[in-house]
Amino acid sequence: MTTQANTPIITEDVFLTSPKDTRIANLAARVGQEVTLHGWVNTARSSGKISFIELRDGSGYVQCVGEHHLLSPETMTEIQRCSQESSITVDGVVQEHPKQKGVYEINLRRVQVLHQALDYPLGKKDHGPDFLLENRHLWLRSRTQWAIQRIRNTIIHATYEFFSAYGFIKIDAPIITSTACEGTTTLFSMDYHDLGKAYLSQSGQLYIEAAVMSHGRVFDFGPVFRAEKSKTKKHLSEFWMMDAEMAFCTHQQNMRFQEELISYIIGRVLALNQAELATMKRNTATLEKVKPPFVRLTHAQVVQMLQKEGATIKANDDLGAPDEAILAKLFDVPVFIERWPAEIKAFYMKRASDDPSVVLAADLMAPEGFGEILGGSQREDDYETLKKRMESENVPISEFQWYLDLRKYGSVPHAGFGFGLERLVNWISGAEHIRETIPFPRLLYRFKP
Ligand code: 4AD
Ligand code: MG
């Protein structure tokens, strides 16, 4: 047996049962041919001599036109049964739209209803957010929700592509943990067998700091949990975080890498998801402007700017929602805020050698009011300095001895960052609320369905 390249070569789609079978996304290759499509009715209407069915099959949407004089009595009966969300199979000839280039239509020959959906609860009228969330299992089928998940999928893939190109190894951090990564006030806890309290991970960072000493460049990408009692458009109780960690990496290199990653992700969405962005009515001009280098401001500079605009923020304050709103008015591009006051940032961040009151951390603020999408820092790599900082912040040393150990055996300068996938999806897709960016959102007042 010869060794094959390890990329799959798809010669035949295993899901297709006849040579006529195809998917909406592939219609361009079938113009003039009769094809079979399987999907669901988005809308259907008939008038006199002609019927229109808008079909969706997961890969896209297509208008099916039924000229009644071409159709059998059986198909005419089936068209009557095409209520919203009924599952159907159609046969028809692929035509390019008479006026829109690159848009295809199906001239129907046959329609068969597989399962008729009666009284689908999500009609065409506007529903309130509670009703939609209650019906999230069905809401996912709507065109905007479909578009958002496809953009999310591109972002996930682009992230893997980018890290892979830079030689990163994916490391799966644990979800059940014995300690806090981002402060004890936002931890979900649980009873762990007979061993006492365990916590759901807030970020895999500390664990991938161990793995980076094995692989040099690593990332994780998985669910994390925050118990903060926030009911904003930006907070989820469960979300997907990507953490990256690089050995022999400084604060400056960390930011350089981040702006390349974010620009790459946006470039991929612009290349692959124009139809989805149009569905979202997303103004892509601001996305097209996202190119390295990003604006870099120190926290002190930002505080000054905000104060000038009338904000009440003080020197050692974190940014609040009103501050983020002002910043969004001042910049229409992503902005790094770096060199944060050490006292409001995590214990693991390295202090600047020229000013120990600030840490070598940067948060990336998205434009258009979407706020912080990413946070990172160079890590404290000196055993004694880190230990002192942990003691002064009452971090339980015994629980973190393994983490301190990393500074005991071949410590190196290292840095890393994490982004919240849903924050990124929210910004790039232009979705109204973070709850629309994850298939089944867990919010302060909801964890069903
Ligand atoms: O800023 P955070 O808390 O940073 C960390 O967890 C670091 N350990 C990351 C690292 O250096 N490896 O969270 C990182 C990102 C934020 O910038 C934000 O995008 C997102 O996670 N995030 C949330 N997204 C949705 N809902 C929440 N409740 C979030 N909290 C943080
Ligand atoms: Mg942060």
Side-chain angles (χ1 to χ4, degrees):
M1 221 172 85
T2 55
T3 316
Q4 296 287 325
N6 52 10
T7 44
I9 298 162
I10 297 161
T11 51
E12 199 181 331
D13 192 327
V14 295
F15 303 113
L16 306 182
T17 49
S18 99
K20 273 170 53 184
D21 268 5
T22 190
R23 298 189 87 200
I24 293 169
N26 302 331
L27 289 179
R30 299 288 192 109
V31 176
Q33 297 174 22
E34 189 172 317
V35 297
T36 305
L37 295 171
H38 308 278
W40 294 263
V41 175
N42 189 41
T43 58
R45 62 195 161 88
S46 287
S47 62
K49 297 184 184 140
I50 198 157
S51 294
F52 298 97
I53 299 170
E54 193 185 30
L55 181 75
R56 59 173 190 84
D57 74 347
S59 79
Y61 286 74
V62 71
Q63 175 91 289
C64 303
V65 183
E67 296 178 74
H68 294 173
H69 69 93
L70 295 176
L71 304 174
S72 69
E74 291 78 30
T75 285
M76 287 306 297
T77 312
E78 290 295 83
I79 287 179
Q80 302 301 313
R81 298 173 64 217
C82 280
S83 47
Q84 187 190 356
E85 287 308 319
S86 293
S87 49
I88 63 172
T89 293
V90 304
D91 295 287
V93 178
V94 183
Q95 297 173 343
E96 188 155 21
H97 191 281
K99 290 185 192 123
Q100 291 163 272
K101 251 201 122 34
V103 175
Y104 302 93
E105 287 185 346
I106 301 294
N107 192 283
L108 288 174
R109 293 295 179 270
R110 203 168 81 101
V111 176
Q112 201 187 355
V113 175
L114 302 177
H115 182 253
Q116 192 183 22
L118 294 174
D119 305 320
Y120 186 65
L122 304 189
K124 289 291 156 220
K125 58 180 183 302
D126 274 349
H127 297 289
D130 275 334
F131 183 81
L132 290 172
L133 287 168
E134 209 62 62
N135 288 283
R136 183 62 174 167
H137 54 299
L138 302 176
W139 186 26
L140 279 176
R141 303 183 188 193
S142 82
R143 195 160 184 154
T144 50
Q145 300 308 310
W146 173 83
I148 292 168
Q149 288 309 312
R150 286 175 64 95
I151 292 169
R152 177 180 168 116
N153 182 62
T154 301
I155 295 172
I156 294 168
H157 275 274
T159 303
Y160 279 88
E161 283 159 17
F162 193 82
F163 282 121
S164 206
Y166 270 89
F168 281 64
I169 293 290
K170 181 166 183 268
I171 293 292
D172 299 318
I175 286 174
I176 300 176
T177 65
S178 56
T179 53
C181 176
E182 296 299 319
T184 48
T185 55
T186 67
L187 279 173
F188 279 108
S189 67
M190 59 187 269
D191 295 321
Y192 190 80
H193 303 298
D194 297 329
L195 298 179
K197 285 266 173 271
Y199 308 96
L200 296 181
S201 177
Q202 300 163 310
S203 157
Q205 179 201 322
L206 305 185
Y207 293 97
I208 70 167
E209 275 190 64
V212 81
M213 303 305 165
S214 171
H215 296 283
R217 296 176 187 176
V218 298
F219 73 107
D220 68 27
F221 205 157
V224 294
F225 307 87
R226 301 280 169 108
E228 59 209 294
K229 303 253 183 249
S230 291
K231 198 188 166 205
T232 77
K233 284 168 91 161
K234 294 175 186 167
H235 287 90
L236 290 165
S237 302
E238 173 182 295
F239 64 98
W240 282 62
M241 173 133 42
M242 189 294 305
D243 297 281
E245 205 66 30
M246 294 81 76
F248 307 101
C249 177
T250 63
H251 169 57
Q252 293 299 334
Q253 291 169 326
N254 198 12
M255 286 190 292
R256 281 278 298 116
F257 185 68
Q258 291 161 30
E259 63 195 4
E260 293 293 341
L261 168 66
I262 298 297
S263 304
Y264 178 76
I265 289 172
I266 288 179
R268 293 303 283 162
V269 173
L270 287 171
L272 299 174
N273 296 116
Q274 282 298 327
E276 290 81 0
L277 292 166
T279 294
M280 298 305 294
K281 300 191 174 67
R282 181 72 170 95
N283 172 8
T284 53
T286 48
L287 298 178
E288 271 145 24
K289 263 197 267 182
V290 177
K291 300 234 161 66
F294 294 171
V295 174
R296 288 159 167 70
L297 298 168
T298 64
H299 177 268
Q301 285 171 321
V302 170
V303 167
Q304 264 193 356
M305 287 172 122
L306 293 172
Q307 285 172 343
K308 232 187 236 156
E309 299 292 320
T312 55
I313 188 170
K314 291 187 295 294
N316 285 349
D317 286 351
D318 202 350
L319 269 64
D323 302 309
E324 287 188 0
I326 299 174
L327 203 65
K329 275 196 211 125
L330 298 176
F331 297 95
D332 64 352
V333 290
V335 176
F336 277 120
I337 305 179
E338 55 169 325
R339 296 173 70 93
W340 287 73
E343 65 183 69
I344 59 167
K345 284 292 190 189
F347 69 90
Y348 51 71
M349 295 181 177
K350 191 173 179 65
R351 287 167 195 259
S353 54
D354 58 344
D355 178 1
S357 76
V358 300
V359 283
L360 296 175
D363 283 356
L364 184 61
M365 311 298 288
E368 302 163 277
F370 288 97
E372 180 197 330
I373 50 168
L374 177 157
S377 67
Q378 190 170 333
R379 318 306 190 188
E380 183 50 70
D381 51 17
D382 180 71
Y383 188 97
E384 287 306 326
T385 313
L386 181 59
K387 192 166 175 223
K388 275 200 202 93
R389 178 93 193 266
M390 289 165 81
E391 279 162 356
S392 74
E393 297 200 10
N394 297 319
V395 176
I397 301 289
S398 60
E399 288 293 337
F400 281 94
Q401 191 53 54
W402 68 269
Y403 184 70
L404 277 164
D405 267 3
L406 305 173
R407 280 77 181 157
K408 209 158 131 191
Y409 307 107
S411 190
V412 298
H414 64 288
F417 62 96
F419 71 55
L421 175 61
E422 291 73 16
R423 297 263 182 103
L424 207 50
V425 177
N426 203 176
W427 166 41
I428 296 174
S429 71
E432 292 222 344
H433 193 295
I434 199 163
R435 64 186 168 220
E436 295 186 40
T437 64
I438 186 163
F440 291 93
R442 272 69 183 105
L443 304 158
L444 187 52
Y445 295 115
R446 174 180 297 281
F447 62 97
K448 293 176 191 171

